[in-house]
Amino acid sequence: MPKKIITDNAWQTYLTSFFLWMLLYGGLLWYWFDLPPLESIVDSAVHIILLGAAGIIITRNVAYYRPTDDKMKFGYVGVISCALSIMWVCVSRWILVGTFPYEGDYLRWLNHAIPIHVFVAWMMIAGIGYRSQIWYDAAEQQESRQRKEATEKIVREAELFKLRQQLQPHFLFNSLNSINALIMLRPKEAREMVLKLSDFLRGSLKREDEQRISLAEELKYLQLYLDIEKVRFGHRLSTNIISNEAAAAMLMPPMLLQPVVENAIKFGLYDTVGDITITMKSWVADGMLHISVQNPFDRELQQPNKGTGFGLNSIRRRLYLLFARQDLLETSSHENIFTTLIKIPQVHDKSSNN
């Protein structure tokens, strides 16, 4: 069902405009053409009412049918408005001749005015038709944009959800294998790891519907992950997290840092011996939250610049889907330190905290 040009609340204004136009046109006929007051008012009422009806007809017509080709659209409205103009003149004359059959001077004036009536009516009806056509086309384009944006949003959210869910099975697999290994050798640590894993997964469920959380909340969630990993690797893994109050209050997508730290642990511990320290720093610059994660690596065993794994690729994709930017994740290496830098723009809207 097409939208209405004249809404229910606008009918009063519409009728008032008709009344004013009838008075204006009737006054011009009386003052300019010296027509009697009765003929002037009746002539004005008939022409204005029928002209309004013609305008409504062409408005509803283009609401239900408009050619797809732009040139045909304007030609179609031109032809319809021309036909309605001729009908308007014929019906108006028929009514007025029937109303004043013996007014010879008025009828002669009415016959002489037919060409002007047709031309003026065509201009007004065509103007209404073109205006309605533009209005309906704009409304359709807006609805089409809204549908496209809604579809893109659904697809984007589905991909974001998929990216977040793909991270959990990999982490669970490693954690469960570690628990299995600890059950016989260190049962106390195995129980501790089960409890921490339970808290971590509970936190994941709570954050499923959140769009933005503060860095402070993200670090609390990350600490659960680090506690689990420290049970797995024992004294070999230590962390150093540096953040100030300004950075801690900044907003970011939830569960963004765990894949980064997991990547750092993978490159720092899996192919090396000895202890390592993963350092995380956060600060605010250029209106964005900056987070860097650094880990040592063995150059002889690893080539970190040739592949950063699924974790960092998923983070890069998430940041692009959220902010439409490709430059928000950077990786670099210097000597034996690998650095991952994340930049998070701050979106200041009402949905940020939802």
Side-chain angles (χ1 to χ4, degrees), residues 23 39 46 56 90 116 173 189 198 211 260 278 330 341:
L23 290 180
E39 282 84 344
V46 170
I56 293 174
C90 293
I116 297 176
F173 176 78
E189 292 183 8
S198 175
Q211 301 299 318
V260 181
I278 294 175
E330 301 173 4
L341 176 63

Side-chain angles (χ1 to χ4, degrees), residues 167-288:
L167 296 170
Q168 296 298 346
H170 179 258
F171 169 67
L172 281 174
F173 176 78
N174 290 336
S175 298
L176 292 174
N177 277 343
S178 298
I179 291 172
N180 181 57
L182 290 172
I183 287 175
M184 296 300 296
L185 300 176
R186 292 177 285 175
K188 182 178 179 180
E189 292 183 8
R191 288 193 297 270
E192 179 184 350
M193 192 169 179
V194 169
L195 293 175
K196 291 183 181 297
L197 180 61
S198 175
D199 291 338
F200 177 82
L201 295 177
R202 189 179 297 111
S204 299
L205 294 175
K206 288 181 180 179
R207 286 166 173 77
E208 282 298 326
D209 298 326
E210 293 179 324
Q211 301 299 318
R212 301 283 189 277
I213 63 172
S214 67
L215 174 61
E217 293 179 88
E218 177 74 357
L219 291 178
K220 289 180 182 178
Y221 176 76
L222 181 66
Q223 190 60 51
L224 291 172
Y225 169 77
L226 289 173
D227 290 342
I228 295 171
E229 294 295 77
K230 286 178 181 178
V231 174
R232 290 179 61 200
F233 295 104
H235 67 277
R236 290 189 60 203
L237 174 63
S238 60
T239 57
N240 182 24
I241 299 177
I242 304 171
S243 177
N244 55 38
E245 292 184 3
M250 294 291 103
L251 298 177
M252 61 179 297
M255 295 186 286
L256 193 72
L257 297 181
Q258 183 236 320
V260 181
V261 175
E262 183 176 1
N263 189 77
I265 293 173
K266 173 184 175 182
F267 281 97
L269 279 173
Y270 284 11
D271 296 322
T272 61
V273 295
D275 303 342
I276 72 160
T277 298
I278 294 175
T279 302
M280 179 183 296
K281 298 179 182 178
S282 58
W283 67 95
V284 179
D286 300 325
M288 292 193 294

Side-chain angles (χ1 to χ4, degrees), residues 87 323 330:
M87 291 176 59
F323 303 107
E330 301 173 4

Side-chain angles (χ1 to χ4, degrees), residues 261-329:
V261 175
E262 183 176 1
N263 189 77
I265 293 173
K266 173 184 175 182
F267 281 97
L269 279 173
Y270 284 11
D271 296 322
T272 61
V273 295
D275 303 342
I276 72 160
T277 298
I278 294 175
T279 302
M280 179 183 296
K281 298 179 182 178
S282 58
W283 67 95
V284 179
D286 300 325
M288 292 193 294
L289 173 63
H290 290 65
I291 304 172
S292 72
V293 178
Q294 295 182 322
N295 63 274
F297 69 97
D298 191 333
R299 283 188 175 274
E300 295 181 358
L301 297 176
Q302 302 174 5
Q303 295 180 339
N305 288 328
K306 290 188 177 180
T308 56
F310 169 76
L312 294 189
N313 289 332
S314 71
I315 295 302
R316 181 177 285 107
R317 181 61 179 167
R318 280 185 67 188
L319 291 172
Y320 173 74
L321 291 172
L322 290 170
F323 303 107
R325 291 180 56 174
Q326 297 278 15
D327 61 339
L328 298 180
L329 187 145

